Amino acid sequence: MLRLIFLVFVVLSLVSCNKLEDEKKFKIGFSQTGTKDDWRKSMNKSMEIQAEFHPEIELKILDSDDKVENQIKDIEQLISENVDILIVSPIKSKQITPVVEKAFKNGIPVIIVDRKTEGENYTAYLGGDNYQVGINAAKYIASFSNSLKKIIEIKGLSGSSPALERSLGFEEVVTNNPNLEVIKVIEGNWESYSIKNSLSKVLDSIKDVDYIFAHNDRMALGAWQVVKEKKLQNRISIIGVDGLNGPNGGIQMVKDNKLLATILYPTGGDEAIRLSLEILKGKTVAKNNLLNTIVIDARNADIMSKQFDKIYQQQQDINFQQDKIKLQEKNYTSQNIALRLLLVLLILSILLGVYSIYTSYNLKKKKRELELQNRKITVQRNQIKKIAKEVKASNEAKTNFFTGLSHEFKTPITLILSSIESLSEEKKIRDSKILNELSLIFNNSKRLLRLINQLLDFRKLEDRKFIFRASETNLFTFINNIYKDFEREAQKRNIDFKIEGNNLDLTIFLDRNLMDKVFFNLLSNAFKFTPNNGKIIIDINDERSTNFVKISIKDSGIGIPDNELESVFKAFYQGSNNNKASSGIGLHISREIVELHKGSIEVHSKHGSEFLITLYKDRAHLSSDEIVLEPAMVDNEVSGFNQEYEDDIYDTEVISKSEEKYTILIIEDNSDLVKFLKNKLSISYEIYTSDGNDGIEKAIEIIPDIIICDVNLPVKDGFEICETLKKDLRTSHIPTVILTALGNKESYIKGLESGADLYLTKPFSLAILSQSIKTLLYNREKLRYYYINSIHNIGQEAEFGTIEQEFLQKLNLIIRENIDNSNFTVENLADQLLISRVQLYRKIKAILGISISDYIQNIRLDKAKELLKDSTLSISEIAYASGFSSPNYFSTAFKAKLNISPKAFRDN
Ligand code: FRU
C-alpha cells in the first residue's frame, strides 16, 4: 500500500515538474545608461510592458547611473548570471565595446539599443535612425525660406554614437544647402545644464542667430530658457530631438511654442523585447534595425500627442486586462491545486479501496489456510492422542502384566521359603552341607522377594498409589531397629558400624513402613559398596535451633564420581563404578519417600559416600488425613535378606506392633492344634480360643483382628460360623481363615462362598499360615487406607457394595446429621447403629485404624475447615456449627490436629 501512495506522489510531482518547466523564464538582461531622464524611463517602461505580455520572460534592468565603469560592471554581472539575451544601451561606444564583445563571444546574443558600440561584435542593433534625425532637422530648417539661416548646433555627449550620427546627418544637408550655415557648435552631454552657460556666451557674442538645433529636447529646453532670458524667443527658433509625449516632453514644448519642432526619436524598448523573443525562438534577425523618425511641429503636435495618449491609454487598458488575467490565473492556479488535491484524494481512496479489497481477500485466503491448517493439526493431534492412548494402554498392559507377574512371583517365593522351613524342621536333616545349601536357597529367595517388593514399590510410586500415613515415632529407636538388622553382617566383615544421635528422645512423624524402606536401602547400599574392615556411621543430628533433623549415613566405600552425584536418584541409574547387580530403583524410591515426608535427601562423596536426609521435626507440613495415631505395621518382608541362615530365621516374629498386638481368635476343637497354634502365634499376636461351641459369641465379643476357624466343629460347622460372622455388621470386616482337612474342590468353593478370606488345607505350613495372616492384616490395612481416603465418597456412591461400605455410609450420614450437635455422643451413634459402644469402637478401629471419637472429631474439623474457607461465619459460630461445645475447645482441638490456629488457617 505504501508503495502505491508513493507512486501517486511520484506521478503528481512529475505533473507539477512539467508545469514548472512551462513557467521557466528566459532571462533577458538589460544594461541601461541611467534612468534620470524621461526618455530612458519611457524606454524601460515600454520594455517592461512588452515583457509582461510574455510570461516566459524574466527581464532584469540594471541602471549604470550614466557612469561607464558602472555599466562595465553591470554587463559583467549579467554575463555571470548567464542571461539568455543581453541588451545594452552603451553610454559611450569605445569604452563599452570590450565587455559587450566578451558577452557576445561567450555565446550570449547581444542586442545594442539606441547608442552603438564600435565594430560588429553583437547580434543586432536597434534604435532610431540618428543620421536621418540630423538630416530631418536640417531639411526642416531649410524648408522655411530661401534666405540664409544661421544655426547654432548643440551636440550630445561626445563619444556617443547618436551625437556623432545626428551631427553627420545635419552637416550633410547644411553642406549642400547654401542657405544654411552652422555658425557655432556647442558641446553638451545631453543634459540642459551642460549647455546653458556656453550658449549664453555665444548669444551674447553672436546677434544674428536664426535657429538652434539641439541634439535632444532636454538640451533644447535649456536653450529655450537661455533664449527667453535674453528675450530672443521671437527671433530664434529651436529644434530638439526625442519628441516625447507628456507634460515635459518635446511634443508639449512644441505645443507650448517653446520649440519650433522636435524630431521623433523612438526609444525602441518594446521592439527590443520583440527582437529578443525572435532571437530566443532561434529566428534569424536583421543586424541593423532602424526605427522610423518624423518631424513634429505645430502642425502635427496635437495629433501626435493624441496618438501617443491613445497608445498610452491602450497600454493602460492592456495592463488592466493583464491584471485581470493574472487574477484569473491566480484563481485558476488555486482551483487547479484544489483539483489536483481532489485528484490525489480520489486516487488515494481508489487505491485504498483496492487495497482493502485485496487485503480482505488475502485475509480470507489466510483464514481459509489457517482453518485448513487447524483442521490438519486437529486431525494430527487426535491421531497423536489416539497413538498416545494406545501406547499408554499398551504400556499399562505391559506394566500390569509385569506387576501381576511380580505379584505372582511372591507366592512361589513364599512357598519356597516355607518349604525350606519345613525341611529345616525335619529332624533327619543334620548334614551341614545340606543346611548350607538350604541357607543359600533361603537367602537368595529372600533377596528375590526384596527385589520384587522394590519393583512393586516403584510401580506404586509411578501410580502415586503410596498411601502416606505418618505416626509419631521415636527416631533413634526406629533407626536403631534397622541398624540391628545389619549388625551381624558388620561383625562378619569387620566393618566399624556405629549409630550415633544427639537426642535419643526425639520423636517425629514418619510413615514407618515407607521410611523403613529408605533406611534399609541406604544401609544395604552402604554395606554393598564398603569393603571389609571399612566404616559405616549413622548419625542422627537434632538441629535444636531449627525445625529439622538430619540423618547421615556415611560409609568408607568406593564413593560416587562427582559428575554422577546428580544422577544417583534417577530411576534405573547405574553408577559407572558399580559392578554389583542392582535394580537402580532403590535410591529413586528412597528420594520419593523422603519427598512424601516433605523432606530432602542429598548425597556427598569424599572418601566414600554420605547420604544426608533432612526431615521436619514438627507436623505442620502434614495434612490431617496423613496423620495417624497408631502406626501401620512395618512390612519387613524385605528385612533380614542379608541375614545368614539360622534356626530362628523362621521365627514368626514378623509383625511388630509397638503399642498393642493384633488379636486372633482360633475356633478349633482339636486341643493339640490349638496349643500348637497358640504356642507359635502368641509371640506376635494376642490369641483367643474357642472350641467351636461359642465361636460366634466370642467373635462378637472380642471383635478380633483375624479369625482362624476349623470346619469340622460340634455345633455349627466352620462354613456356617464364617457365614454368620460375615453377615453380622459387627464382625463382617474381620478376615477369616478356614483351616480344614477337606482338600476337595467343593469344600474349597463352599469355604469361599461362606465369605472366608482364605482356605488352607491340613497339613498346612506354619510359614504359609503366618504369611497368610500377615497378608490378610496387610490387606486389611490397605482396605483401611482405602476407606480413609474414600471416606468422603462413601456417602455418595455406593459402588463397593460391601457391608462395610453400607455401615460407613450409615455412620457418616448419622454423624453429618448431627454435626452441629455438641451433645451428640458415641453412645448415641452406637444406639442408632444398633451395636454396642465397644463394638462400635472396635469396628471403627479395625476398619479405619482410629478411634470413633477421633473419627467424629476429624469430620467436625473437616466441616470447620470448609466453613473457615468458604463462609463468612465467625470462628465462634463455626465452632458451634461444627459441633464443638465451646470455641476454646474448638481452637485447642483444631490446633492440636492441624498445628495452626483456626484464625491463622483462615488468614492463610
Ligand atoms: C536620453 C537621451 C535622449 C537622446 C538619447 C541619445 O538619455 O539623451 O534625449 O535622444 O539619449 O542617446
Side-chain angles (χ1 to χ4, degrees):
M1 184 61 203
L2 278 173
R3 263 182 272 163
L4 280 174
I5 295 172
F6 177 70
L7 196 73
V8 172
F9 280 106
V10 169
V11 171
L12 284 172
S13 3
L14 281 177
V15 171
S16 40
C17 278
N18 285 342
K19 175 74 188 161
L20 278 176
E21 257 169 36
D22 286 350
E23 285 172 357
K24 191 188 160 214
K25 289 177 181 176
F26 293 118
K27 193 165 181 181
I28 298 176
F30 175 37
S31 166
Q32 177 62 287
T33 56
T35 42
K36 283 187 195 116
D37 63 82
D38 288 344
W39 192 87
R40 296 282 158 191
K41 282 177 187 157
S42 162
M43 188 183 196
N44 288 2
K45 186 76 196 163
S46 59
M47 270 192 182
E48 283 161 357
I49 289 170
Q50 191 60 36
E52 274 190 12
F53 292 152
H54 302 277
E56 72 273 26
I57 285 176
E58 182 197 342
L59 176 65
K60 181 168 188 177
I61 299 175
L62 297 181
D63 178 353
S64 307
D65 200 22
D66 292 315
K67 288 179 184 119
V68 171
E69 61 277 17
N70 285 357
Q71 188 160 41
I72 293 169
K73 275 188 206 153
D74 288 349
I75 293 168
E76 291 277 11
Q77 183 191 330
L78 292 171
I79 293 170
S80 71
E81 283 177 14
N82 275 330
V83 290
D84 297 291
I85 297 275
L86 174 66
I87 303 174
V88 181
S89 177
I91 299 170
K92 285 189 176 183
S93 305
K94 198 178 173 188
Q95 289 90 327
I96 300 304
T97 300
V99 71
V100 167
E101 282 185 345
K102 180 184 170 187
F104 184 68
K105 282 176 187 162
N106 275 2
I108 300 172
V110 182
I111 299 173
I112 303 295
V113 291
D114 163 36
R115 300 179 192 174
K116 288 179 179 167
T117 50
E118 291 181 348
E120 293 291 313
N121 285 326
Y122 53 85
T123 312
Y125 169 77
L126 177 89
D129 188 346
N130 285 301
Y131 192 74
Q132 191 61 43
V133 166
I135 290 173
N136 283 354
K139 278 187 177 170
Y140 183 72
I141 295 168
S143 70
F144 282 100
S145 69
N146 288 332
S147 59
L148 180 70
K149 291 151 191 99
K150 292 185 176 172
I151 307 164
I152 295 174
E153 186 185 354
I154 300 175
K155 282 188 169 183
L157 179 69
S158 104
S160 69
S161 67
L164 181 72
E165 287 175 357
R166 284 173 197 179
S167 236
L168 287 174
F170 195 71
E171 247 176 64
E172 193 195 288
V173 177
V174 170
T175 318
N176 296 321
N177 193 330
N179 293 332
L180 300 178
E181 185 191 356
V182 174
I183 54 165
K184 189 70 188 174
V185 174
I186 292 171
E187 298 285 341
N189 71 353
W190 301 113
E191 303 309 323
S192 63
Y193 71 89
S194 66
I195 52 100
K196 272 185 169 174
N197 284 341
S198 27
L199 180 63
S200 177
K201 280 178 195 157
V202 170
L203 289 179
D204 286 345
S205 60
I206 306 169
K207 295 294 176 206
D208 52 348
V209 176
D210 303 306
Y211 290 95
I212 295 174
F213 169 48
H215 279 191
N216 71 359
D217 289 337
R218 296 200 302 288
M219 290 190 297
L221 178 64
W224 179 77
Q225 285 160 350
V226 175
V227 168
K228 196 186 168 200
E229 208 178 87
K230 298 199 180 289
K231 301 203 177 5
L232 292 170
Q233 66 264 40
N234 292 330
R235 177 179 163 70
I236 301 172
S237 298
I238 305 168
I239 294 155
V241 177
D242 281 349
L244 275 181
N245 191 31
N248 303 313
I251 294 175
Q252 189 58 45
M253 286 198 281
V254 171
K255 279 188 187 173
D256 295 344
N257 285 326
K258 291 176 183 167
L259 301 186
L260 179 67
T262 175
I263 315 297
L264 178 69
Y265 183 64
T267 62
D270 46 353
E271 282 87 351
I273 296 298
R274 273 190 221 110
L275 194 65
S276 301
L277 281 165
E278 298 281 290
I279 294 169
L280 286 170
K281 282 177 195 161
K283 288 189 182 165
T284 320
V285 296
K287 183 107 183 173
N288 221 13
N289 300 278
L290 295 178
L291 302 170
N292 290 331
T293 173
I294 53 160
V295 178
I296 301 166
D297 62 3
R299 290 170 297 177
N300 65 355
D302 203 37
I303 194 160
M304 285 300 283
S305 90
K306 278 187 179 140
Q307 279 298 328
F308 283 125
D309 282 347
K310 198 158 189 183
I311 289 168
Y312 177 75
Q313 188 55 52
Q314 277 172 351
Q315 271 178 345
Q316 290 296 103
D317 288 348
I318 288 167
N319 281 350
F320 179 70
Q321 288 294 341
Q322 273 201 324
D323 286 348
K324 268 196 150 179
I325 288 168
K326 273 185 192 161
L327 198 74
Q328 294 286 358
E329 269 181 348
K330 221 171 155 186
N331 283 343
Y332 167 78
T333 313
S334 50
Q335 281 170 359
N336 202 11
I337 290 169
L339 199 71
R340 277 170 197 227
L341 215 68
L342 280 174
L343 197 73
V344 172
L345 288 174
L346 187 73
I347 293 171
L348 267 178
S349 48
I350 289 171
L351 289 176
L352 279 171
V354 171
Y355 181 70
S356 65
I357 291 168
Y358 171 77
T359 324
S360 71
Y361 168 76
N362 260 355
L363 275 175
K364 272 186 195 153
K365 207 170 133 189
K366 283 257 161 64
K367 202 181 150 201
R368 270 202 303 276
E369 282 171 8
L370 279 175
E371 277 170 1
L372 203 73
Q373 216 171 346
N374 213 10
R375 270 206 292 277
K376 273 187 196 165
I377 290 170
T378 313
V379 170
Q380 282 172 353
R381 200 183 52 207
N382 289 343
Q383 277 173 348
I384 291 169
K385 266 190 189 168
K386 205 177 142 202
I387 293 168
K389 217 170 156 185
E390 283 168 10
V391 170
K392 200 179 161 199
S394 138
N395 274 345
E396 192 80 6
K398 280 182 199 161
T399 326
N400 284 344
F401 168 74
F402 166 77
T403 312
L405 211 61
S406 305
H407 273 296
E408 290 301 314
F409 283 147
K410 283 179 81 171
T411 317
I413 292 169
T414 315
L415 287 172
I416 290 168
L417 286 167
S418 68
S419 297
I420 299 167
E421 177 193 29
S422 298
L423 282 174
S424 73
E425 278 177 349
E426 199 58 62
K427 298 280 184 278
K428 287 173 208 159
I429 303 173
R430 277 290 160 238
D431 183 341
S432 67
K433 203 178 161 203
I434 294 174
L435 284 173
N436 277 340
E437 292 289 326
L438 285 174
S439 159
L440 201 71
I441 297 168
F442 179 80
N443 284 329
N444 279 293
S445 302
K446 274 288 191 186
R447 181 168 152 72
L448 249 175
L449 192 60
R450 188 178 72 86
L451 286 171
I452 286 165
N453 281 332
Q454 239 178 29
L455 287 175
L456 291 171
D457 284 346
F458 178 68
R459 170 75 171 145
K460 275 192 234 166
L461 272 173
E462 271 200 324
D463 294 350
R464 307 255 151 233
K465 276 189 182 156
F466 262 130
I467 298 156
F468 180 74
R469 293 213 324 163
S471 58
E472 199 166 13
T473 305
N474 179 302
L475 188 61
F476 186 85
T477 311
F478 176 74
I479 299 176
N480 195 41
N481 279 337
I482 304 164
Y483 166 84
K484 281 182 191 157
D485 286 338
F486 289 87
E487 263 185 322
R488 194 184 305 274
E489 187 178 359
Q491 271 167 19
K492 217 179 92 190
R493 291 175 51 201
N494 194 28
I495 287 173
D496 179 7
F497 184 39
K498 276 188 217 150
I499 179 163
E500 288 163 2
N502 62 349
N503 181 1
L504 302 190
D505 299 325
L506 175 69
T507 58
I508 68 168
F509 279 77
L510 288 181
D511 184 315
R512 296 184 198 170
N513 252 338
L514 297 180
M515 259 317 168
D516 180 75
K517 292 174 201 285
V518 174
F519 289 111
F520 199 88
N521 183 268
L522 292 177
L523 283 174
S524 300
N525 282 347
F527 275 91
K528 201 157 145 190
F529 297 111
T530 301
N532 290 351
N533 310 316
K535 196 173 181 182
I536 298 172
I537 292 173
I538 305 171
D539 180 35
I540 304 163
N541 179 22
D542 174 6
E543 291 193 331
R544 289 179 201 270
S545 57
T546 72
N547 191 22
F548 298 104
V549 55
K550 291 198 168 177
I551 305 123
S552 147
I553 296 173
K554 199 173 176 183
D555 65 51
S556 62
I558 55 170
I560 301 160
D562 272 358
N563 58 349
E564 294 178 24
L565 286 173
E566 288 287 306
S567 312
V568 294
F569 296 108
K570 285 181 190 161
F572 312 116
Y573 182 79
Q574 298 279 354
S576 61
N577 59 351
N578 175 8
N579 299 321
K580 316 243 165 142
S582 130
S583 64
I585 51 174
L587 285 176
H588 175 69
I589 292 170
S590 298
R591 185 177 64 180
E592 295 282 324
I593 292 172
V594 170
E595 285 174 357
L596 276 176
H597 286 78
K598 307 283 185 293
S600 66
I601 179 166
E602 50 194 282
V603 59
H604 307 284
S605 187
K606 207 179 183 184
H607 315 300
S609 306
E610 180 184 12
F611 285 86
L612 193 65
I613 296 175
T614 307
L615 295 170
Y616 277 105
K617 286 194 282 194
D618 68 0
R619 56 180 188 175
H621 57 288
L622 300 171
S623 70
S624 59
D625 294 345
E626 291 172 329
I627 295 175
V628 285
L629 297 177
E630 287 173 22
M633 68 173 184
V634 173
D635 173 11
N636 55 358
E637 277 176 323
V638 291
S639 300
F641 78 97
N642 272 328
Q643 292 166 353
E644 291 298 310
Y645 174 80
E646 56 179 356
D647 286 344
D648 66 358
I649 195 77
Y650 303 118
D651 192 349
T652 48
E653 172 56 54
V654 284
I655 295 173
S656 66
K657 199 177 176 197
S658 59
E659 281 139 32
E660 58 178 322
K661 288 177 178 172
Y662 287 107
T663 50
I664 297 178
L665 171 63
I666 301 169
I667 307 171
E668 171 62 74
D669 59 352
N670 181 328
S671 58
D672 284 338
L673 187 56
V674 169
K675 210 170 152 188
F676 170 75
L677 287 174
K678 203 174 172 183
N679 187 30
K680 287 288 176 187
L681 297 174
S682 60
I683 303 162
S684 305
Y685 307 102
E686 197 175 339
I687 307 293
Y688 296 92
T689 56
S690 158
D691 58 5
N693 288 317
D694 57 355
I696 293 171
E697 290 71 26
K698 280 221 166 148
I700 290 171
E701 185 201 323
I702 300 160
I703 312 285
D705 292 305
I706 296 271
I707 295 169
I708 299 171
C709 184
D710 189 14
V711 173
N712 292 324
L713 293 169
V715 186
K716 281 183 174 173
D717 71 23
F719 297 133
E720 282 174 278
I721 294 173
C722 183
E723 205 173 335
T724 311
L725 291 175
K726 282 291 177 185
K727 280 183 180 158
D728 193 313
L729 184 65
R730 296 164 288 186
T731 51
S732 57
H733 64 279
I734 304 170
T736 309
V737 182
I738 297 245
L739 280 182
T740 175
L742 304 171
N744 58 47
K745 199 172 150 196
E746 288 70 32
S747 302
Y748 183 68
I749 293 172
K750 209 175 168 194
L752 291 180
E753 276 172 355
S754 68
D757 298 89
L758 197 70
Y759 190 85
L760 289 181
T761 47
K762 292 179 189 171
F764 56 85
S765 153
L766 181 62
I768 291 177
L769 177 66
S770 169
Q771 183 62 39
S772 302
I773 292 169
K774 278 201 291 169
T775 307
L776 286 173
L777 286 170
Y778 178 64
N779 284 343
R780 206 189 63 180
E781 285 294 332
K782 281 210 299 196
L783 199 65
R784 185 190 281 172
Y785 293 155
Y786 185 64
Y787 285 135
I788 286 207
N789 288 310
S790 312
I791 207 94
H792 301 296
N793 293 329
I794 286 168
Q796 293 137 27
E797 290 169 36
E799 57 181 43
F800 311 126
T802 67
I803 292 183
E804 270 60 52
Q805 276 157 20
E806 281 166 27
F807 169 74
L808 283 172
Q809 251 177 298
K810 203 169 168 191
L811 176 86
N812 286 343
L813 192 74
I814 298 168
I815 296 171
R816 287 209 185 102
E817 275 170 2
N818 293 286
I819 192 107
D820 56 350
N821 178 5
S822 58
N823 296 323
F824 185 72
T825 60
V826 176
E827 281 79 10
N828 299 143
L829 183 60
D831 284 352
Q832 290 197 35
L833 288 166
L834 304 174
I835 52 175
S836 75
R837 198 185 68 82
V838 175
Q839 282 163 344
L840 175 62
Y841 174 82
R842 289 192 179 156
K843 176 100 189 168
I844 292 301
K845 187 83 175 166
I847 300 178
L848 302 175
I850 57 173
S851 74
I852 181 66
S853 45
D854 278 353
Y855 183 70
I856 296 172
Q857 193 170 73
N858 279 352
I859 292 181
R860 290 193 194 286
L861 287 171
D862 282 346
K863 170 82 182 175
K865 260 160 66 181
E866 257 171 50
L867 291 172
L868 283 168
K869 270 193 232 158
D870 304 330
S871 78
T872 52
L873 294 176
S874 71
I875 289 177
S876 303
E877 285 166 334
I878 290 172
Y880 293 119
S882 323
F884 288 91
S885 52
S886 77
N888 273 349
Y889 173 54
F890 165 60
S891 292
T892 313
F894 195 92
K895 202 159 176 208
K897 172 84 182 172
L898 298 163
N899 232 11
I900 185 171
S901 74
K903 192 180 174 304
F905 179 84
R906 173 174 265 180
D907 292 344
N908 280 342

